[in-house]
């Protein structure tokens, strides 16, 4: 609020916290945005050129099912054949690393909602084929308590950005998180799967947006895949014709054993 004290007379500084945050937003709009990673001022985008060049975009060749793993001679990885997911295909824009983590955290915890269009554009490019066949986007929902604490769902922000760019509508209310799951951070793969067991459900009034439709789940980060797996199962149980997964960043798979 250093800026505010210089720009506005004392009486205006005594406004309530609501007005103060509105004021902050106004100043944010007036000031040039900062790079989400290194905090250098940037023009018109959320990342400076140096940080942008460090982003690791995911391109082919990858397993056509998982959107990850070098499939080798075939089009599917051994992982996809041995342990196929409930969803059909997954795609991610970038690898989860220092730079993409900074973007995700800025969007999620730093109120950098201005980053959503840029991240949505990259997601849209990574998922072009999936989106061309999609009837609707389904953001991975937050439990209402977390939504209340954070005020917004970052996956819904990304889904809205992808929707604006592609014209694929968002099926709002298609999926609910009915169990307040613990944070997935620090949990093993098995613990993550148990954590989201029964956590997602298609509510009665969401069924019409799901049954017989081709859906694309949208999330910010794909780690073990347990969350999107839980979502995909719930949507398929409610009669979805197809469920694909599209995320901003995915965590690198653990070293695979050669077969
Ligand atoms: Zn930077």
């Amino acid at each position: 609020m250093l800026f505010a004290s210089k720009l506005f007379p004392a009486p205006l500084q005594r406004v309530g916290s609501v007005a103060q945050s509105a004021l902050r937003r106004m100043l944010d709009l007036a000031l040039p945005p900062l790079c989400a990673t290194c905090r250098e001022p940037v023009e018109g985008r959320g990342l400076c050129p140096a940080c942008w060049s460090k982003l690791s975009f995911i391109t082919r060749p990858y397993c056509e099912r998982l959107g990850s793993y070098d499939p080798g001679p075939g089009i599917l990885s051994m992982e996809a054949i041995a342990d196929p997911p409930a969803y059909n295909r997954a795609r991610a824009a970038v690898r989860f690393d220092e730079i993409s983590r900074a973007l995700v955290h800025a969007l999620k915890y730093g109120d950098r909602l201005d980053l959503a269009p840029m991240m949505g554009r990259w997601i849209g490019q990574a998922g072009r084929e999936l989106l061309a066949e999609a009837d609707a986007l389904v953001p991975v929902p937050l439990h209402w308590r977390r939504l209340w604490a954070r005020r917004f769902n970052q996956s819904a922000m990304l889904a809205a950005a992808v929707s604006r760019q592609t014209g694929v509508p968002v099926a709002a209310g298609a999926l609910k998180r009915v169990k307040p799951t613990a944070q997935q951070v620090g949990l093993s793969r098995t613990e993550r799967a148990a954590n989201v067991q029964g956590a997602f459900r298609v509510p009665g009034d969401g069924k019409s947006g799901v049954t017989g439709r081709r859906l694309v789940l949208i999330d910010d980060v794909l780690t073990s895949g347990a969350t999107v797996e839980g979502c995909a199962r719930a949507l398929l149980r409610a009669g979805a014709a197809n469920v694909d997964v599209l995320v901003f960043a995915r965590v690198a798979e653990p070293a695979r054993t050669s077969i």
Side-chain angles (χ1 to χ4, degrees), residues 80-225:
I81 295 164
D83 186 17
Y87 54 80
N88 185 13
R89 298 165 293 183
R91 298 290 181 267
V94 297
R95 289 188 178 77
F96 192 67
D97 55 19
E98 211 180 308
I99 305 287
S100 58
R101 179 172 45 222
L103 283 170
V104 167
H105 280 213
L107 176 73
K108 206 162 162 175
Y109 307 114
D111 274 354
R112 286 293 305 267
L113 300 183
D114 61 299
L115 297 174
M118 177 183 75
M119 294 164 77
R121 205 157 47 241
W122 295 337
I123 294 172
Q125 282 160 8
R128 223 173 13 245
E129 295 159 358
L130 281 53
L131 294 164
E133 301 168 3
D135 294 319
L137 310 175
V138 178
V140 168
L142 290 179
H143 189 259
W144 67 265
R145 261 184 246 151
R146 188 162 297 161
L147 182 63
W148 188 78
R150 199 182 287 163
R151 292 177 291 124
F152 65 93
N153 174 359
Q154 74 281 0
S155 302
M157 300 300 298
L158 293 175
V162 173
S163 178
R164 270 194 295 275
Q165 287 155 22
T166 60
V168 180
V170 176
L175 198 58
K176 270 207 164 97
R177 196 184 283 246
V178 291
K179 205 173 89 177
T181 48
Q183 293 271 18
Q184 298 276 65
V185 177
L187 299 184
S188 73
R189 190 186 165 88
T190 320
E191 286 166 340
R192 281 168 188 261
N195 193 25
V196 297
Q197 181 80 39
F200 300 98
R201 198 167 60 207
V202 175
D205 58 1
K207 283 224 163 62
S208 61
V210 170
T211 310
R213 306 190 80 198
R214 299 180 63 87
L215 304 171
V216 176
L217 273 165
I218 306 280
D219 207 358
D220 52 353
V221 181
L222 192 149
T223 307
S224 70

Side-chain angles (χ1 to χ4, degrees), residues 1 15-29:
M1 293 307 285
V15 289
S17 65
V18 172
Q20 269 187 18
S21 79
L23 193 63
R24 225 173 356 247
R25 269 170 218 281
M26 273 168 55
L27 288 168
D28 284 347
L29 287 177

Side-chain angles (χ1 to χ4, degrees), residues 232-249:
R233 282 179 196 279
L235 292 168
L236 290 166
R237 256 200 315 271
N242 181 70
V243 178
D244 290 319
V245 172
L246 192 47
V247 301
F248 173 64

Side-chain angles (χ1 to χ4, degrees), residues 35 38 48 51:
C35 172
C38 69
C48 72
C51 290

